[in-house]
Amino acid sequence: MAQSLTLTITALRERVEAIFLNAGLNPVQATALTTVIVAGERDACKSHGIYRIEGALRTVKAGKVDPRAIPELQLNEGSAIVKVNAKRGFANAAFELGLPAFAKRTSEFGLAALVINDCTHFSALWPEVEAVTKEGLAALVMCPSYATVAPTGGNKPLLGTNPFAFGWPRKDAAPYVFDFATSVAARGEIELHRRSGRSLPQGWAIDAEGNPTTEPEAALAGAMLPFGGHKGSAIGTMIELLAGIMIGDLTSPEVLDYLGTTTLAPFHGELIIGMSPEAFAAGRPGDPFARAEKLFDAIVGQGARLPSQRRFAARQTSETQGIILTEAEVEQLDRLRELGLEAVS
Ligand code: NDP
Ligand code: PYC
């Protein structure tokens, strides 16, 4: 019987990567997936940590993602739009491939975009936002998902949980980063509530008849609600337009039609917009980075916390004390490593 275990980040990486390699992913895909999943556990973001491995493997087994894909960079000279075709692999490997050229163009032009097409995407967006801020750039990242959210005033799933993230680089501190679903909560949170037998908070979801529910099962069969009423509904719609229709990729209802289920990871595109604060502020008074620090100080000075502060604190704890996994989680990792795709239905 496996015991609960404290693992170093490196040790967890080795376990997760072994699962993906044993399941037939090539090293490009396995390494990129391992990086984001381990980052999720390390930063105490359980809804996008090791719990996502099973879904990724299910998607491989269903033939809806190519585990051996090699993403392809498409550069047009003089264009601020850098494209990567994920070749039906996971988005994470495509992002890693596109980042250097995208960062270079953003610095050159002051503003550039990285478009990822034909990818499977299940991860949190903050690893990508943080990678862009490391280049001294600000970033907006967004993607659709699959239809699970009713637009405000509606009663059936149509929009995705469509994550939206922003990052601002800081010279002597961790970047300012927020990253959230445009639904009240990520769907992963509903699934985690279901698994642990907890009710949902009021206002997260409606059942299949359109009535408010706090039952995870009923919510999964019904629809989630956008955050902030009509405001979240409009931002979720904007993401369908910009990161679905505008980049020639699938919208959330089209993703659900294509997959036929929400038990697999969604297949669509992703849009990353990079901005150089120095280029935008050129010729105007003040250093944008110093001015940003004043704003952050004022926020914290009121007793508020910056987004990602909890995550960065969790990261520090993991780096010094390791990552604690429950007995059930350790057993599941062992099972997935041993059985590979046989472990998932
Ligand atoms: P949360 O509501 O947990 O957090 C949203 C953001 O708000 C985080 O940056 C968080 O920082 C910050 N925050 C939370 N509380 C406070 C506070 N009191 N003061 C200041 N900031 C605060 O996120 P969601 O559940 O909506 O989303 C979780 C993840 O799911 C995201 O990473 C998202 O990318 C991912 N997701 C991915 C999808 C996909 O299709 N790939 C779809 C939907 C979601 P902190 O972390 O420090 O608490
Ligand atoms: O948690 O809402 C979610 C989600 C959907 C796809 C990946 N994550």
Side-chain angles (χ1 to χ4, degrees), residues 10 18 25 33 39 48 50 59 67 106 115 136 149 183 197 206 248 255 280 288 308-309 318 321 335 337 343:
T10 308
L25 276 72
L33 282 197
H48 289 80
I50 56 170
T59 312
T106 306
V115 171
V149 177
S183 45
I206 51 178
V255 175
F280 274 86
S308 292
Q309 215 168 301
S318 298
Q321 296 169 30
R335 193 169 152 269
R337 182 179 183 159

Side-chain angles (χ1 to χ4, degrees), residues 127-181:
E128 296 169 348
V129 167
E130 281 188 31
V132 182
T133 62
K134 274 199 185 123
E135 307 287 332
L137 303 167
L140 281 171
V141 184
M142 62 193 90
C143 68
S145 180
Y146 24 48
T148 51
V149 177
T152 295
N155 55 13
K156 291 200 174 45
L158 179 68
L159 305 171
T161 49
N162 301 2
F164 189 50
F166 169 76
W168 176 273
R170 300 176 70 190
K171 288 192 169 143
D172 300 310
Y176 175 94
V177 173
F178 71 71
D179 174 19
F180 49 69

Side-chain angles (χ1 to χ4, degrees), residues 175-213:
Y176 175 94
V177 173
F178 71 71
D179 174 19
F180 49 69
T182 48
S183 45
V184 177
R187 193 165 173 85
E189 282 296 333
I190 310 250
E191 176 59 19
L192 290 177
H193 275 75
R194 185 189 70 77
R195 288 181 181 202
S196 59
R198 287 174 293 149
S199 297
L200 303 175
Q202 298 279 354
W204 279 26
I206 51 178
D207 64 18
E209 278 73 51
N211 301 311
T213 184

